[in-house]
Amino acid sequence: MTAEFGLAALWFAATLAVLQIALSVIALRRVRADVAAAMRPVAIVQGALVAVAMAALIACFLGSDMSVALVAANSHSAKPWLYKFAGAWGNHEGSMLLWVTILGLAGAAVAQFERRLPERTLIATLGAQAAIALGFYAFLLIASNPFARADPAPRDGAGLNPLLQDPGLAFHPPTLYAGYVGLSVAFSFAVGALVTRDVGPVFARAMRPWVLGAWVFLTLGITAGSYWAYYELGWGGWWFWDPTENASLMPWLAATALLHSVSVLATRDGLRAWTIMLAVVAFSMSMIGTFLVRSGILTSVHAFAVDPTRGSFILALLVIYIGGALALFGARVGTVRQGKLFDPLSREASLVVNNLLLSVILGVVLIGTFYPIVAGAWGVQLSVGAPFFDKTVGPLALILVAVMAAGPLMRWRRDEAAAVIERLQWPIAAALFAGVGVFVLGGWIGVLPTAGIALAGGLAVASVAPLAKRNLRRAPLTLWGMVIAHLGVAVSLAGMAASSAFTTERLAAVYVGDPVQVAGFTVTLDGVRPVIGDNWTALEAKLSVREGDDAPFVLAPQVRYFTTPVTTTNESAIATLAGGQLYTVLGALGDDGRWQLRLWWKPFVTLIWLGGAMIAAGGALSIVGHQRRGWQRRRRRAEQEWWA
Amino acid sequence: MVGVKRWLVWLPLCAFGIIVVVVMWGLYLPADRTVYSAMAGKPLPAFNLPPAVAGKPGLSDRDFRQGKPRLLNVFASWCIPCIAEAPQLLTLKAAGVAIDAVAIRDTGPAITAFLRRNGDPYARIGDDATSRLQLALGSSGVPETFVVDGQGVIRMQHVGDIRAEDVAKLQQALAEAERGE
């Protein structure tokens, strides 16, 4: 019954999306002006209905309703409740439903909260948002019905991929999707603005919080996903240049470029066409990412579906939406009035360079991700991996960091070279100090890691420089946001460079009682014992770790055996210490009675995710700052009107 | 839009069009999940490994330039699939194929025990304690097997364990290497 209820809600939501498109066309063609008043409520109800559908699916999973085919195929009655709950989106149909749920809710949020956008642009925006939603409703209802019944219903279900049975599943997909799909708002804004030809600072200020919000979620989702892969997959790596990771990185790169160019448009009224273009590209990258993961064109942990029919369906949607938006861009952007111009040495110019570099990196990642498919078409099978991306993206990212350090220290519109160099004295000194320091202390670690650490030092100083000589309490929140986000990039970069250069790895086969040395730690295998979990059994090693004369602490890595489906996973045990992380993995038992142990000492690796969290926090602070500024401006105006 | 060429605004649409064509090609192409080697046709890297076990010689690239094709098996005593492929290696050896090996991150006693349990198809075993040769060979894991012709040129890279159905494929590659095709 719950399943049919959810399906009905989904059909109603799709119907409302059709109505919403029709209303926006009628209002924009000025057939009848009064229908525009219905736009907002329709969008809100549509969002509520799709949320009801998602809730119904979650209820089916929580109640282990095995008569629903999706539950039977992906859940098991003996699974802990958290994984029953999160399992609702740990599969193809459920994750697509989550996707449209966030899409519908984003549209509802725009209808409920957006007050700054000009009326006609808002109508066009809500129409565009409904058009996107309609396509994905159709995809769910026609090609991927999550509520289909299984007949006969099995008793227990097939279980969830054990790699996904982790608290991370409860947070990673919703956060990432909020970012992915949140960008649809920027896309719809851009389409709306192209329809009404109304691009300017007001439009940019209206769009900015939505872009920032999506970007914050995307940053959190990627950071959390990276940490999840790091501890769950047991390889000790934090980024694999896996196509599905690239699929999340590409919208992030576009969104990062977009939020910087939207700032130029909001404050200086420049970069009009470019901002619109980026808004279209950012969500296009989200959709392409979805396509890559959901079409079965690539295989990985993330790809639940290997089904070319579904792939063709999503591809058709992509052609309609992205092709349509880009065609609209080509046809209309010439009629958008030129914005303000600026000098080659100015903050705007540095933001343009930043945007270009981000776009080039985006292009490289895009080509690297698609190249195996292109090569495959010519009969050459190959895979593009870390060596390609490290060599190409690495240097570009470092140049980007250098520009990032200098940009905020330049004035808007025009600046003097001598003055900029003077302001950059301290950052340059810090970069040299960090670079030379790491060489003196750690020896030659290669060009990229050394440059990375040097630039991280320079960027750290440059990021806080705008706060110098300022009353810290009166500095605007938006400035704090930028400082913290940029500092986060420096922190993350330092972590990446240092951990890649100084990681020590030790592979050992030991008898119980044998000590192993790794990077100044003495790790002793005290014993291995069986443990029983909710739906798994495991062998758990007790490792006592001693550093110098300190009291030892215990780490307990496991090899877990799941029965539904039958799988083995390595649960690493990680100790986070002041200088980095000690990462331990238990391997197999050899015939000679020795256990395999993999031990890594990863200095400063924690900084990578700390930096990611700082970047997201900076973005969040910036949203609050902009909203507060807008609120204060409105209040001041109200007071002036009262006096007058 | 002053200063921006008219055709430039259509560039994004063209780029997207190319992506769509590429993707459609990939979508309807039959999936092939094999990892193909970039090493095929390249000479073996120069190496000279010490013996891994007592009583068997070590391995150098010169051993592969004696005019007859050989198999180079990358294995380790701690690797489970290596046990699974041992019978196939013995079959190949019985058919007269010369097989050399590189032991990855291993110790002499462990290898001796492994060979005692699973049979010993190898003429020589080189000790690659740090995975240096393994990386130079473009090998990403154990086991892997290379068909090397009599001039020391890699003809084929087989990734993963040798299954019973792979034996004929390897023999064919060896025969082709011998004929110099």
Side-chain angles (χ1 to χ4, degrees):
Chain A
M1 197 40 210
T2 321
E4 281 68 32
F5 186 68
L7 188 59
L10 203 54
W11 274 106
F12 279 125
T15 316
L16 282 189
V18 175
L19 177 64
Q20 198 173 323
I21 300 168
L23 286 178
S24 85
V25 172
I26 292 169
L28 286 174
R29 292 196 165 268
R30 303 178 200 275
V31 181
R32 283 186 60 170
D34 50 350
V35 297
M39 291 286 296
R40 287 183 194 256
V42 168
I44 292 167
V45 175
Q46 186 212 322
L49 280 169
V50 63
V52 165
M54 185 75 225
L57 185 67
I58 293 174
C60 290
F61 268 83
L62 281 178
S64 291
D65 184 351
M66 294 301 165
S67 67
V68 176
L70 189 66
V71 180
N74 294 286
S75 194
H76 190 275
S77 41
K79 209 165 58 167
W81 78 266
L82 181 66
Y83 305 134
K84 287 184 182 169
F85 170 71
W89 51 77
N91 55 74
H92 168 78
E93 288 84 351
S95 69
M96 286 312 297
L97 181 58
L98 179 66
W99 209 91
V100 294
T101 303
I102 295 172
L103 191 65
L105 288 177
V110 171
Q112 177 66 39
F113 299 111
E114 185 51 58
R115 298 278 173 244
R116 285 186 277 197
L117 208 58
E119 165 100 20
R120 286 179 62 77
T121 309
L122 180 75
I123 292 169
T125 300
L126 288 176
Q129 190 78 10
I132 303 171
L134 182 63
F136 287 92
Y137 290 142
F139 176 65
L140 274 172
L141 292 169
I142 297 167
S144 308
N145 179 8
F147 298 106
R149 292 282 187 184
D151 189 25
R155 226 168 56 93
D156 279 330
L160 172 70
N161 180 351
L163 277 177
L164 297 176
Q165 296 201 20
D166 182 277
L169 180 66
F171 310 103
H172 169 65
T175 320
L176 201 56
Y177 275 22
Y180 265 5
V181 185
L183 288 173
S184 67
V185 176
F187 181 93
S188 298
F189 269 50
V191 171
L194 282 171
V195 169
T196 59
R197 297 185 176 88
D198 192 356
V199 184
V202 176
F203 165 78
R205 260 182 243 129
M207 179 157 92
R208 181 159 56 189
W210 300 100
V211 175
L212 268 169
W215 180 80
V216 166
F217 277 114
L218 205 49
T219 309
L220 279 178
I222 293 174
T223 308
S226 156
Y227 191 71
W228 186 17
Y230 168 78
Y231 78 76
E232 180 69 26
L233 295 180
W235 305 333
W238 46 270
W239 191 264
F240 302 98
W241 293 108
D242 172 281
T244 43
E245 287 176 326
N246 295 348
S248 69
L249 183 64
M250 290 189 285
W252 186 84
L253 289 167
T256 309
L258 173 61
L259 77 89
H260 287 98
S261 93
V262 91
S263 279
V264 175
L265 184 54
T267 37
R268 303 293 317 164
D269 195 12
L271 302 182
R272 289 180 170 186
W274 180 244
T275 304
I276 293 290
M277 162 80 199
L278 280 176
V280 171
V281 167
F283 183 60
S284 300
M285 285 301 155
S286 294
M287 286 197 280
I288 289 176
T290 310
F291 169 78
L292 278 178
V293 181
R294 295 280 154 260
S295 63
I297 205 165
L298 303 163
T299 37
S300 87
V301 195
H302 300 79
F304 308 120
V306 180
D307 182 349
T309 348
R310 287 172 175 173
S312 315
F313 204 119
I314 303 187
L315 186 61
L317 291 180
L318 291 197
V319 170
I320 296 169
Y321 296 137
I322 306 179
L326 290 176
L328 187 66
F329 177 81
R332 280 289 172 88
V333 79
T335 61
V336 171
R337 259 185 339 104
Q338 165 86 351
K340 290 219 175 69
L341 295 173
F342 45 82
D343 255 31
L345 189 70
S346 64
R347 193 182 294 189
E348 288 99 318
S350 80
L351 284 168
V352 169
V353 175
N354 137 317
N355 265 243
L356 289 177
L357 281 167
L358 283 166
S359 309
V360 173
I361 295 175
L362 173 62
V364 169
V365 176
L366 187 69
I367 289 170
T369 309
F370 276 98
Y371 189 69
I373 304 172
V374 182
W378 268 272
V380 183
Q381 296 292 334
L382 49 83
S383 55
V384 175
F388 167 79
F389 291 108
D390 288 348
K391 267 183 215 148
T392 49
V393 174
L396 286 168
L398 290 179
I399 301 172
L400 177 66
V401 168
V403 176
M404 218 180 122
L409 298 176
M410 293 186 195
R411 290 186 204 288
W412 291 110
R413 263 189 69 214
R414 150 176 312 184
D415 208 336
E416 302 298 326
V420 173
I421 290 169
E422 198 194 315
R423 271 173 250 144
L424 279 172
Q425 271 173 356
W426 287 107
I428 290 171
L432 289 175
F433 183 76
V436 173
V438 75
F439 177 67
V440 170
L441 293 176
W444 182 242
I445 51 174
V447 178
L448 282 186
T450 309
I453 288 172
L455 282 168
L459 177 61
V461 172
S463 327
V464 294
L467 286 176
K469 295 179 197 150
R470 262 189 117 113
N471 180 341
L472 289 188
R473 258 194 248 168
R474 305 198 56 177
L477 271 185
T478 48
L479 179 65
W480 276 105
M482 181 189 78
V483 166
I484 290 173
H486 282 195
L487 199 58
V489 174
V491 167
S492 200
L493 176 63
M496 291 173 197
S499 70
S500 77
F502 298 117
T503 292
T504 1
E505 181 188 356
R506 181 77 201 270
L507 233 129
V510 293
Y511 293 105
V512 170
D514 279 357
V516 188
Q517 304 289 334
V518 60
F521 295 92
T522 309
V523 180
T524 314
L525 177 63
D526 287 344
V528 178
R529 65 187 183 106
V531 288
I532 297 177
D534 286 323
N535 55 345
W536 46 265
T537 57
L539 288 173
E540 184 179 280
K542 188 183 169 205
L543 301 173
S544 44
V545 186
R546 190 184 279 277
E547 185 184 16
D549 298 328
D550 295 353
F553 57 89
V554 172
L555 284 176
Q558 296 179 338
V559 183
R560 273 191 198 170
Y561 305 96
F562 287 83
T563 47
T564 46
V566 180
T567 325
T568 314
T569 65
N570 280 305
E571 301 289 316
S572 55
I574 302 172
T576 306
L577 305 168
Q581 288 189 329
L582 185 67
Y583 188 113
T584 62
V585 176
L586 176 66
L589 174 67
D591 294 340
D592 52 3
R594 293 187 304 169
W595 292 92
Q596 285 173 36
L597 286 180
R598 289 188 91 156
L599 310 170
W600 281 275
W601 169 242
K602 296 177 163 291
F604 305 111
V605 71
T606 337
L607 294 182
I608 297 173
W609 305 290
L610 176 68
M614 285 171 70
I615 297 171
L621 215 54
S622 186
I623 300 178
V624 175
H626 284 302
Q627 291 310 107
R628 204 169 70 164
R629 195 182 288 170
W631 178 72
Q632 280 166 345
R633 194 179 297 142
R634 276 191 294 278
R635 197 180 57 174
R636 221 173 300 132
R637 203 176 303 141
E639 276 171 11
Q640 281 163 355
E641 278 164 15
W642 189 82
W643 282 106
Chain B
M1 292 297 295
V2 189
V4 177
K5 298 248 163 46
R6 289 261 1 146
W7 59 268
L8 218 58
V9 298
W10 295 101
L11 211 58
L13 187 63
C14 297
F16 176 67
I18 293 170
I19 292 180
V20 169
V21 171
V22 165
V23 157
M24 280 176 69
W25 210 319
L27 198 60
Y28 300 111
L29 214 65
D32 183 353
R33 307 283 179 217
T34 333
V35 178
Y36 284 82
S37 173
M39 293 302 289
K42 295 203 177 133
L44 280 176
F47 64 93
N48 194 359
L49 297 176
V53 289
K56 244 187 224 297
L59 192 62
S60 83
D61 56 313
R62 280 188 306 283
D63 299 326
F64 290 91
R65 289 196 222 106
Q66 311 295 335
K68 289 287 252 179
R70 305 177 77 86
L71 284 186
L72 174 57
N73 183 237
V74 180
F75 86 113
S77 69
W78 43 263
C79 133
I80 308 291
C82 296
I83 300 174
E85 75 169 4
Q88 281 70 255
L89 285 173
L90 290 173
T91 311
L92 282 163
K93 190 197 176 199
V97 177
I99 308 173
D100 296 320
V102 184
I104 305 299
R105 296 174 177 238
D106 220 327
T107 61
I111 299 171
T112 311
F114 177 89
L115 296 178
R116 200 172 335 111
R117 268 196 312 275
N118 303 305
D120 180 2
Y122 305 124
R124 301 186 186 83
I125 306 179
D127 180 17
D128 188 13
T130 54
S131 288
R132 269 186 90 114
L133 175 62
Q134 188 192 12
L135 290 177
L137 281 170
S139 149
S140 53
V142 279
E144 284 192 15
T145 306
F146 293 83
V147 176
V148 185
D149 70 11
Q151 284 71 49
V153 176
I154 297 171
R155 304 299 291 256
M156 184 186 152
Q157 177 179 9
H158 178 86
V159 178
D161 52 319
I162 301 171
R163 307 268 166 91
E165 61 265 28
D166 298 325
V167 171
K169 206 170 67 183
L170 285 170
Q171 279 175 320
Q172 193 195 340
L174 282 161
E176 281 169 10
E178 177 136 39
R179 291 197 300 270
E181 280 169 17

